[in-house]
Amino acid sequence: MLAAFTTQYGGCSIFPKRQDHIGTEEKFSVFREVTYETVMEQFSEINAKGITLRDALTADSWKAIEQGPSRIERGSWNWVQEFPYYQNRPNRFEISLSKGGVLGALCYGQTSKHGTKVRMNLIESTPMRPTPLGMRALPILSYAAAVFADIVGADELWVLDPDPDLEGLYMNEGFGSRTIYHGKRVGQRRVL
């Protein structure tokens, strides 16, 4: 499937950047790299990097896992469909976490228009138990998002559209209770 997708969209230049995005993309690329390095310094056994198409395909394959010890709840989004959208957002926050070559979690988000907030829009960890990250997927992802927010000068971190059943889990990571984000969406906020 990866080869067909890459061939269909022309290899490495699948998502050509607009000229006005190139400088911003380069700046945020450096911010993301610093974030990954900081995460790997803090969690030395974890590999942190951007999300590749292969990671998106792997995350989408988690929906088909039905046997063995696994978490029932799954993200409703399609990572392969989201991939081109986020790749065209120069101010995106993206991270994938793996241990021992096994993808454990990934997250897409982006800064707000004025850069004062970082949103974690899509968060997912592997449903397989035991996971390669143990029970540390959310703590590591929220740590990474806070590092990224600090680098870009944001003073708020948001989880958007969190599952109501996970409100307490997010609160354990320093996020407040569910509230309205920009009058439209539900989110949980962490002031940095």
Side-chain angles (χ1 to χ4, degrees):
M1 182 171 176
L2 177 59
F5 186 91
T6 304
T7 302
Q8 178 181 357
Y9 292 100
C12 295
S13 61
I14 356 181
F15 312 113
K17 304 290 183 206
R18 291 181 7 198
Q19 280 298 332
D20 59 331
H21 282 195
I22 292 174
T24 306
E25 174 67 36
E26 290 172 357
K27 177 176 78 171
F28 276 89
S29 178
V30 170
F31 296 162
R32 289 188 294 270
E33 286 301 321
V34 171
T35 300
Y36 306 148
E37 290 171 13
T38 303
V39 168
M40 291 186 294
E41 286 172 7
Q42 183 70 25
F43 304 95
S44 58
E45 74 285 6
I46 302 299
N47 183 36
K49 63 179 183 56
I51 297 174
T52 65
L53 182 55
R54 185 174 304 281
D55 295 330
L57 287 163
T58 299
D60 282 345
S61 75
W62 293 340
K63 288 177 179 56
I65 297 172
E66 294 180 12
Q67 71 252 351
S70 66
R71 176 175 40 81
I72 295 170
E73 302 83 18
R74 311 289 161 82
S76 61
W77 44 85
N78 181 313
W79 287 95
V80 171
Q81 277 184 321
E82 298 290 346
F83 185 80
Y85 173 83
Y86 281 98
Q87 292 303 306
N88 282 319
R89 300 293 174 262
N91 63 333
R92 71 189 174 277
F93 168 70
E94 69 173 302
I95 190 167
S96 67
L97 302 173
S98 59
K99 181 177 177 187
V102 178
L103 181 64
L106 59 173
C107 176
Y108 265 136
Q110 66 188 82
T111 64
S112 60
K113 182 177 181 180
H114 298 291
T116 60
K117 300 169 182 63
V118 170
R119 302 184 305 255
M120 298 170 72
N121 298 336
L122 308 176
I123 303 171
E124 192 161 3
S125 66
T126 180
M128 292 304 297
R129 299 294 184 250
T131 74
L133 305 176
M135 298 307 288
R136 300 178 307 153
L138 182 59
I140 297 171
L141 290 172
S142 63
Y143 172 81
V147 167
F148 182 78
D150 185 52
I151 293 169
V152 301
D155 55 10
E156 293 182 9
L157 180 60
W158 284 82
V159 174
L160 290 188
D161 304 318
D163 182 327
D165 294 336
L166 301 178
E167 182 176 6
L169 185 64
Y170 290 116
M171 290 177 81
N172 288 340
E173 293 304 315
F175 292 89
S177 58
R178 293 166 58 85
T179 188
I180 301 299
Y181 177 84
H182 272 287
K184 300 175 188 174
R185 298 174 73 179
V186 174
Q188 287 183 244
R189 179 178 72 149
R190 179 173 156 192
V191 178
L192 302 171

